[in-house]
Amino acid sequence: MSGTHLAIVPLIALFAGVFGAYLAGQYVRDRPTARSGVIATVSLLIALATTWLLWTRSLPIEYALLGEGVGIRVTALSIFLSTVACLIGLLVTVYAIGSEDARDAPDVYFPLVLAAVAGVVGIGLAADLFSLYVFFEVMAVATYALVPFAVDRATAVEAGVKYVVMNAAGSLLAIFGVSLIYAHTGGVLDFATLSAELTATTGPGPLEAAVLFLVIGFGVKAAVVPLHTWLPDAYTEAPASASALLAGLATPAAIVAMVKALSAVPEGVSVGLLLLVLGGLTMTVGNFLALGQRDLKRLLAYSSIPHVGYIVFGFGVGFYGGFGVAFDGALFHVLANAFMKGGAFLAVGAIGYRLAGAEGETRTLSALSGVGYRMPVAAGAIAVAVLALAGVPPLAGFWGKLFIVLGSAEVSGAVGVGLALLVIGNSFLSLGYYLPVLGALFGTPTDAVRTLDRTPTLLAIPILALTGGTILLGLAPAFGLDLVGPAAEVLESGLEVTP
Amino acid sequence: MIDQLTTAALVVTVLAGLVAVAARDFLLSILSLSGASVALAVYFYLAGAPIAAVFEAVVAAGLVTVLFLFVISLTETDAAERISGAKLPVVGLALGLLLGVGIAVWTLLDPAAASGTDVAFAEALWSVRSIDLLAVTVLVFVGVLAVVRLTAERLEPAGDGEDGPTANSREVEP
């Protein structure tokens, strides 16, 4: 046991933050939102700082809670997920302090955000398949309450019910898949030996069944077509900061959880082909669904589906041919997606915050016409995010897609060219709904927009940070690749560990 | 060490039981009853009956307490008002903490004192999968928070305006 107590600190800090933020919100009469939010911010900062300290150590680090039993394993993948989760969690928390999102019940809102972040951190740290599932559930249950957080709005509750029912069913299938693997190996679930064990043993049923259950189970949360139907409503009805957390963090993290589980499956089971087909389907269907959406938040929600598709497709290509560059691309897109989608949803929320008093439709593209002149920060952030999402070159979204295309092209023959063209074609297709957004933001201002105030400072900080990240990752992808490269290697080599 | 813990667990059980009987405040009464159960569960574990300890903790300290709270909140008396709103989550937190203490005591102790398949099961639960247990503790707490949020409207006594349950019960408190 080469353990250091530092390994568990991010997780403990976040768990303590869950309770701390709750207590602060509950017992401080004076400005509970700020107090609860500050505690959440502090615990996220501690988690982020310790993650950075762990990054400088030699990995992997094994740690068990009381010195025995199943513990956690800090790998480059854990560092990657932890960094992304804490960064997005931090910015979302700052945003929620400044906005109305948490006003009703800050004592509940901030713990839920922290728990979702802790779940994602745990997904990275989990040393065995069952722990992975438990942390996945921590993340999922926290988001169950974030979607219908505005409980007095019927549409939000409806979206929440749809979300909870579908995802609860998905969780059941996922744990069934885990149990099949458990039966297959006769009790071995540890990622360090799972792959070898699965090759050596023949369980009661075909391993393909377990793989299917895992893909479908985690796939519901990841919104893989045809399991995506909860997503548009959930993202549209959730508070802006919760949407950013879901789109930027929770959904991609579910894909990573799925891939982490699948990385233990030995060759011979065509995981790659399955993910390729699902990914291709998801991005194409998602792009067609997003075309013609007039409500900006709903458009962004729909446009999350193709991005799930790109990531799943990238992993599929990686598994299919063992191409490292496709793994790099898929994980880089997870990182880029966090910045792009996070920034876009927060910016839409900031505009909604200012437009809250206006009558009639406030989120359609025509109602938002000209908002770029009154709220340059928010509208500029949306413009950058939308261009990056479409994959325009000097921005973050370009590199992930480029690596995925490069990986696809490595598949031999016409199939490889076809796969690459599918990704490129989808990127151009997405311009069909991203460009009207740009047109609307800087069109002729409407009457309601003409009187708008500027973006509030506390909301502008996280929005600018995410937009800055999108631009920086695009200009200097090496920053991201330092984080992504080793993590992708961990996934590619099947998490085998030789202590 | 073990002996002192045994004595301490029994003393806490008796004291908490006395408080549960004597207290005039329903909330205090219920909480100390569940405290007694947790202490009793600790004693069971020390006495070499881990399965009984688990059931004592889960059923007596957890389930029965929740049932008490729900029944009392249905009766529409002063006590119901005291428990509704902000206090319900507090109760949840207190229960979580009590269980957490119990879990910590169990995991810190050396289970070598007892033997048999029961112990193997308990060991599997408390020692081998301690990280999952920690996560599940948080999971349950988050679940409680989620339920509190989703039932926020219904917890509120009728005709008390639109404030959330927190703001409302603050007015009730002296």
Side-chain angles (χ1 to χ4, degrees):
Chain A
M1 187 61 50
S2 60
T4 158
H5 290 297
L6 195 65
I8 194 81
V9 172
L11 207 53
I12 296 291
L14 292 171
F15 281 170
V18 170
F19 292 99
Y22 170 74
L23 289 175
Q26 190 73 45
Y27 288 109
V28 179
R29 281 156 193 251
D30 180 34
R31 299 174 65 212
T33 307
R35 300 296 170 90
S36 189
V38 165
I39 292 205
T41 310
V42 168
S43 73
L44 282 162
L45 281 175
I46 295 173
L48 197 58
T50 36
T51 303
W52 183 77
L53 281 179
L54 284 169
W55 176 231
T56 60
R57 305 281 180 99
S58 73
L59 299 172
I61 302 169
E62 301 237 6
Y63 180 80
L65 202 54
L66 297 156
E68 56 175 332
V70 176
I72 54 171
R73 187 174 298 126
V74 186
T75 59
L77 182 68
S78 330
I79 303 283
F80 169 76
L81 272 183
S82 184
T83 311
V84 177
C86 293
L87 268 181
I88 296 298
L90 192 63
L91 297 172
V92 160
T93 304
V94 172
Y95 180 94
I97 294 173
S99 72
E100 299 277 287
D101 289 357
R103 191 185 49 95
D104 273 357
D107 54 328
V108 176
Y109 195 84
F110 291 109
L112 289 175
V113 169
L114 281 179
V117 171
V120 176
V121 172
I123 287 173
L125 290 171
D128 88 351
L129 202 49
F130 185 70
S131 296
L132 179 76
Y133 171 77
V134 172
F135 283 112
F136 175 79
E137 276 296 279
V138 171
M139 174 190 85
V141 170
T143 56
Y144 288 168
L146 283 176
V147 168
F149 200 77
V151 282
D152 49 352
R153 214 172 52 230
T155 45
V157 174
E158 186 201 342
V161 168
K162 207 189 270 183
Y163 177 62
V164 171
V165 170
M166 283 194 71
N167 280 281
S171 290
L172 267 180
L173 296 182
I175 191 66
F176 191 63
V178 173
S179 72
L180 282 181
I181 297 236
Y182 186 87
H184 206 89
T185 59
V188 175
L189 288 176
D190 194 327
F191 283 120
T193 50
L194 185 57
S195 184
E197 202 70 32
L198 279 174
T199 322
T201 54
T202 48
L207 192 56
E208 281 84 352
V211 169
L212 268 181
F213 276 112
L214 286 176
V215 168
I216 294 174
F218 288 124
V220 175
K221 186 81 191 64
V224 172
V225 170
L227 309 166
H228 65 284
T229 47
W230 57 268
L231 186 143
D233 282 348
Y235 284 15
T236 313
E237 294 300 335
S241 50
S243 299
L245 192 73
L246 279 168
L249 186 63
T251 307
I255 308 175
V256 177
M258 181 210 286
V259 172
K260 187 172 176 179
L262 293 179
S263 67
V265 175
E267 289 180 27
V269 181
S270 42
V271 172
L273 194 62
L274 181 66
L275 291 187
L276 256 182
V277 171
L278 283 178
L281 191 69
T282 305
M283 58 188 172
T284 314
V285 171
N287 270 328
F288 276 109
L289 285 175
L291 278 176
Q293 293 296 326
R294 303 308 299 168
D295 179 324
L296 181 54
K297 202 174 178 192
R298 207 169 174 80
L299 187 152
L300 284 172
Y302 269 111
S303 88
S304 298
I305 300 174
H307 287 277
V308 167
Y310 296 131
I311 298 170
V312 172
F313 188 85
F315 283 126
V317 172
F319 277 124
Y320 186 68
F323 304 128
V325 67
F327 278 103
D328 282 347
L331 271 189
F332 192 91
H333 207 66
V334 170
L335 179 68
N337 183 64
F339 283 99
M340 304 183 294
K341 270 273 137 58
F345 272 110
L346 291 188
V348 170
I351 294 175
Y353 177 79
R354 282 299 188 215
L355 269 176
E359 283 177 16
E361 285 292 327
T362 54
R363 282 199 319 235
T364 55
L365 290 180
S366 48
L368 291 176
S369 180
V371 82
Y373 301 112
R374 301 298 309 175
M375 301 182 75
V377 171
I382 295 177
V384 170
V386 157
L387 285 174
L389 285 166
V392 173
L395 294 167
F398 171 69
W399 297 103
K401 284 184 188 174
L402 177 72
F403 293 141
I404 294 171
V405 169
L406 287 179
S408 318
E410 279 190 46
V411 177
S412 57
V415 182
V417 178
L419 293 177
L421 283 180
L422 182 64
V423 178
I424 297 170
N426 263 295
S427 284
F428 277 105
L429 188 58
S430 68
L431 282 175
Y433 53 86
Y434 285 136
L435 289 182
V437 174
L438 287 181
L441 287 176
F442 297 97
T444 318
T446 60
D447 288 344
V449 165
R450 229 181 277 277
T451 55
L452 277 182
D453 242 345
R454 285 181 178 279
T455 316
T457 315
L458 204 53
L459 304 193
I461 293 169
I463 293 172
L464 284 177
L466 287 167
T467 309
T470 309
I471 296 172
L472 187 72
L473 266 184
L475 291 178
F479 281 126
L481 281 175
D482 280 350
L483 200 60
V484 165
E489 239 162 66
V490 170
L491 273 183
E492 198 187 347
S493 58
L495 297 136
E496 292 280 328
V497 171
T498 43
Chain B
M1 174 69 179
I2 297 286
D3 282 345
Q4 283 138 10
L5 266 178
T6 313
T7 319
L10 281 178
V11 169
V12 173
T13 309
V14 172
L15 283 183
L18 282 176
V19 174
V21 176
R24 295 189 64 80
D25 188 329
F26 276 116
L27 194 61
L28 184 61
S29 185
I30 295 168
L31 281 185
S32 37
L33 185 64
S34 81
S37 296
V38 170
L40 192 60
V42 173
Y43 173 72
F44 280 166
Y45 182 80
L46 295 174
I51 300 286
V54 172
F55 279 103
E56 177 69 22
V58 172
V59 178
L63 187 65
V64 172
T65 310
V66 172
L67 283 180
F68 269 127
L69 288 173
F70 268 106
V71 170
I72 287 174
S73 66
L74 285 176
T75 55
E76 291 185 10
T77 59
D78 286 353
E81 259 189 350
R82 297 178 62 86
I83 290 170
S84 71
K87 287 210 170 173
L88 201 58
V90 178
V91 171
L93 187 69
L95 285 180
L97 283 180
L98 282 175
L99 279 175
V101 169
I103 289 164
V105 171
W106 281 322
T107 42
L108 285 174
L109 288 173
D110 184 11
S115 61
T117 50
D118 288 0
V119 176
F121 169 75
E123 234 187 277
L125 195 58
W126 301 121
S127 305
V128 180
R129 307 225 61 104
S130 51
I131 185 79
D132 300 331
L133 211 59
L134 179 71
V136 168
T137 313
V138 174
L139 182 67
V140 170
F141 179 69
V142 170
V144 169
L145 284 187
V147 171
V148 165
R149 178 60 191 165
L150 296 183
T151 54
E153 246 37 27
R154 264 159 273 162
L155 279 176
E156 218 172 317
D160 263 327
E162 285 191 311
D163 286 341
T166 333
N168 184 30
S169 57
R170 270 184 198 142
E171 285 161 25
V172 174
E173 272 171 21

